[in-house]
Amino acid sequence: MSLKSALFELKEGLDNRKLGPSEEIFIQELENKNNLTSGSLVYYFNHLMILSMNQLEKASQNFVDTKKVNRKWTKHEIDFMFEYIQARQEEGALNITEILEESAQLLNRGYQSVNYKYYSILKANEKKQATNQKGYKFTTIAHKDVPVTTVEAIPVKTQEQVTNQMKPEQETDLLDILSGLITNVQQIPSINLNEMLRGLYQLTNMALQNQEAVQQVEEMKSTINLEKETLRDKLTKQEQQLLQEKKRNDELQKEVAKLAKEISAFNMLGDAAKIQNLKSYNQRLNYLIDGFGVVLQVGS
């Protein structure tokens, strides 16, 4: 027999209100039945009584199963969990997974929640010890020093506890929320946890793909704007070149018109005058030099 059997029987008696006429006698019988030291169950009885009363109160207020909600961890639960784990290990139980599962059943919590809380506290303690800071300590009263066997547990709610119950989200970090979510979903038969997580994963992938698509569109817009600017500069240069060509063509037309007048005047000369000025007019007919220094051949 062991502490495990005694506590599960004690919890069953509390849950079903089957402690008999005397709670003290019931506890002593359990200790004798499981070969436990006298008074060793008092500590656990007090904590289980407080937890049972708190859970009944919350269940009556919310009309839901307290194991299916992501409720705030209390100091009573944390102390109980570490005290139970230590006692079970001292008995020779070495499988921490089984001990955590037992703690979850005794605390009426999901295994994931208990597992996360246990290792997160251990990790926080190791981190504080590594930085030479004061670590997390659990202070409990030795069983032999308990002055009275408590037969009625009165939960004491401090102002801080009341505030946490009203607004638990202020003290709950992301990992607590995720742990509670997994625990809650596992308790709901109509929801497949793997499918839900796979759907969330696919949504995040789509979000990343959309983000990449937006970035590609912005890059395309930047490239198009750059190409437009390049085309605009090229068009401006072509317009300037066209204006220069037009100006040159106008000047050439003026020269041709001038030459035409000279030819007309040459034709009006007599034969003797034509022969006398023939060489000069022949050169003008063969070549015409524009204002830009380009020689244009207009005749032979």
Side-chain angles (χ1 to χ4, degrees):
M1 307 302 288
S2 65
L3 177 64
K4 172 185 175 182
S5 300
L7 287 186
F8 275 91
E9 188 173 349
L10 178 60
K11 184 178 186 299
E12 182 181 0
L14 286 172
D15 293 341
N16 299 326
R17 300 293 187 273
K18 296 181 180 179
L19 298 186
S22 173
E23 296 171 348
E24 184 175 359
I25 295 176
F26 181 80
I27 293 173
Q28 291 177 355
E29 291 178 350
L30 276 180
E31 292 172 345
N32 295 331
K33 179 180 177 181
N34 293 277
N35 297 324
L36 298 175
T37 305
S38 177
S40 59
L41 291 182
V42 174
Y43 169 82
Y44 298 102
F45 171 80
N46 292 337
H47 280 274
L48 287 175
M49 177 66 77
I50 294 174
L51 294 174
S52 177
M53 294 180 65
N54 289 339
Q55 291 169 7
L56 287 175
E57 181 180 355
K58 292 179 181 178
S60 63
Q61 292 176 354
N62 301 326
F63 299 100
V64 295
D65 186 357
T66 55
K67 190 176 181 180
K68 296 183 180 180
V69 297
N70 185 23
R71 67 181 191 270
K72 179 72 177 178
W73 275 82
T74 65
K75 186 177 183 301
H76 289 290
E77 291 177 302
I78 296 174
D79 290 345
F80 180 92
M81 177 179 64
F82 275 87
E83 180 71 19
Y84 179 74
I85 292 173
Q86 181 180 357
R88 289 285 286 123
Q89 290 175 339
E90 290 176 354
E91 284 185 340
L94 301 179
N95 192 330
I96 186 63
T97 301
E98 293 182 0
I99 301 176
L100 290 176
E101 179 63 35
E102 295 168 10
S103 301
Q105 295 177 21
L106 291 172
L107 294 173
N108 198 30
R109 281 186 173 273
Y111 170 77
Q112 295 290 344
S113 178
V114 174
N115 181 74
Y116 167 73
K117 179 57 67 174
Y118 173 72
Y119 284 106
S120 63
I121 292 176
L122 289 184
K123 185 176 181 180
N125 289 342
E126 292 175 357
K127 184 177 180 181
K128 290 180 180 180
Q129 291 175 0
T131 55
N132 295 325
Q133 295 181 355
K134 185 177 180 180
Y136 192 100
K137 294 183 179 180
F138 297 92
T139 303
T140 58
I141 301 175
H143 301 310
K144 63 180 181 179
D145 296 331
V146 177
V148 180
T149 301
T150 304
V151 296
E152 181 179 1
I154 302 177
V156 179
K157 296 183 180 180
T158 63
Q159 184 64 32
E160 179 181 359
Q161 289 174 327
V162 173
T163 303
N164 288 338
Q165 292 176 2
M166 294 175 63
K167 298 180 179 180
E169 65 276 6
Q170 295 179 351
E171 299 294 335
T172 304
D173 56 19
L174 179 59
L175 291 178
D176 280 332
I177 294 174
L178 292 176
S179 176
L181 174 63
I182 294 174
T183 301
N184 293 347
V185 171
Q186 289 176 339
Q187 303 295 328
I188 303 175
S190 60
I191 298 180
N192 188 310
L193 178 61
N194 292 338
E195 292 297 330
M196 184 184 73
L197 294 179
R198 185 179 294 109
L200 291 175
Y201 175 71
Q202 292 175 352
L203 286 176
T204 56
N205 280 340
M206 293 174 61
L208 290 176
Q209 292 174 1
N210 291 339
Q211 185 176 358
E212 293 177 358
V214 171
Q215 184 176 359
Q216 291 177 358
V217 170
E218 293 298 328
E219 291 177 355
M220 291 177 61
K221 287 182 178 180
S222 177
T223 302
I224 292 174
N225 291 334
L226 182 61
E227 292 178 352
K228 285 183 179 180
E229 189 66 26
T230 303
L231 290 175
R232 190 178 294 108
D233 293 341
K234 185 176 181 180
L235 181 60
T236 301
K237 292 180 181 179
Q238 289 179 348
E239 290 177 349
Q240 294 176 353
Q241 184 178 359
L242 181 61
L243 290 176
Q244 292 177 356
E245 293 293 336
K246 185 176 181 302
K247 182 179 179 181
R248 182 184 300 173
N249 185 57
D250 292 342
E251 294 178 354
L252 181 59
Q253 288 180 0
K254 290 180 181 179
E255 290 293 334
V256 171
K258 182 178 179 182
L259 180 60
K261 290 180 180 180
E262 293 182 357
I263 293 173
S264 178
F266 176 79
N267 291 330
M268 295 176 64
L269 296 176
D271 293 338
K274 287 181 179 178
I275 294 173
Q276 184 178 359
N277 294 288
L278 180 59
K279 184 178 180 179
S280 174
Y281 281 109
N282 187 49
Q283 292 178 348
R284 294 295 302 276
L285 289 173
N286 288 334
Y287 296 98
L288 180 64
I289 302 176
D290 65 3
F292 298 96
V294 180
V295 178
L296 303 175
Q297 185 174 355
V298 297
S300 58

